[in-house]
Amino acid sequence: AFANIAVWLAAHGWWQLPARFDPALTLPLQMCHIASLIASAVLLTRNDTLRAILYFWVFALCTQALITPSLIEPPSSPVFWTFWFLHGFVMLTAVYDLVVNRFRPTWRHYGIACAASAAYLAVVLPINLMLGANYGYVGKSRPLNPSIIDVLGAWPERLLIIVPLAALAMARVMLPWVGVQQASKRKLRQD
């Protein structure tokens, strides 16, 4: 957890240096940037609310960063490795929380994650409009590399697709646990 925080601070501090700073690109406002800090907090506190946000954001939303990374730096760049370290840490922490700490998401957790996502959108959308940015991929511009955003239409209409699509993706990663919960209830009734 502390190593991740140190890498996060170093990486984002590096982007805030005057030679690299661009408020439309380098602020740590992508969902994965925030999830990385949440992952460290989950390891340190096991806070139920943070665990819920981590689970749903990582498995439903941040996986897109692994599938279609917006990374343009080559493997010879420290930026490349920092990207993969931070994103890998988020994924491994979510898996660790499920396997070792035995986090079991519920529909209440889904509601927490949806509320956190709505709060995130309420913060980044005005910032995007003010800066011409695309934090959370809900801004007017498109990612540099091909992604799912490319097929969702023009802005702002694509917001009408992205928001329910995110909620649906989070519901999808809840479905395996519905079966687990139903099996547990059946077993309790049989005992």
Side-chain angles (χ1 to χ4, degrees):
F2 291 117
N4 179 64
I5 292 169
V7 170
W8 192 96
L9 288 170
H12 293 291
W14 186 79
W15 283 109
Q16 304 318 304
L17 293 173
R20 293 171 190 82
F21 180 69
D22 178 349
L25 296 173
T26 61
L27 295 176
L29 295 177
Q30 293 292 9
M31 190 172 271
C32 293
H33 298 155
I34 297 165
S36 185
L37 292 178
I38 290 172
S40 286
V42 164
L43 289 176
L44 295 170
T45 69
R46 290 195 190 171
N47 177 282
D48 196 56
T49 298
L50 296 177
R51 294 170 90 185
I53 296 167
L54 181 70
Y55 173 80
F56 287 99
W57 281 14
V58 166
F59 291 114
L61 306 174
C62 292
T63 50
Q64 287 304 308
L66 300 174
I67 296 167
T68 58
S70 60
L71 190 62
I72 57 172
E73 290 78 7
S76 60
S77 169
V79 173
F80 177 91
W81 296 106
T82 302
F83 174 91
W84 289 110
F85 172 85
L86 293 171
H87 286 80
F89 177 80
V90 169
M91 184 64 67
L92 289 174
T93 300
V95 170
Y96 179 86
D97 200 36
L98 286 173
V99 175
V100 177
N101 293 337
R102 308 213 24 92
F103 176 69
R104 299 297 179 254
T106 65
W107 286 111
R108 184 182 71 79
H109 292 122
Y110 170 79
I112 290 169
C114 285
S117 300
Y120 172 80
L121 181 63
V123 170
V124 299
L125 190 55
I127 291 170
N128 284 342
L129 293 173
M130 188 172 48
L131 299 175
N134 193 19
Y135 296 114
Y137 301 105
V138 294
K140 290 181 180 180
S141 62
R142 295 183 185 272
L144 296 174
N145 294 334
S147 75
I148 192 171
I149 304 301
D150 296 329
V151 299
L152 297 181
W155 192 93
E157 292 83 15
R158 74 171 171 249
L159 290 177
L160 299 174
I161 298 170
I162 289 174
V163 171
L165 192 61
L168 185 62
M170 290 192 294
R172 189 195 77 224
V173 299
M174 180 60 213
L175 292 180
W177 302 104
V178 171
V180 169
Q181 292 166 359
Q182 290 173 348
S184 294
K185 287 178 185 175
R186 278 194 301 272
K187 186 174 189 267
L188 285 174
R189 279 189 242 134
Q190 291 172 354
D191 292 343

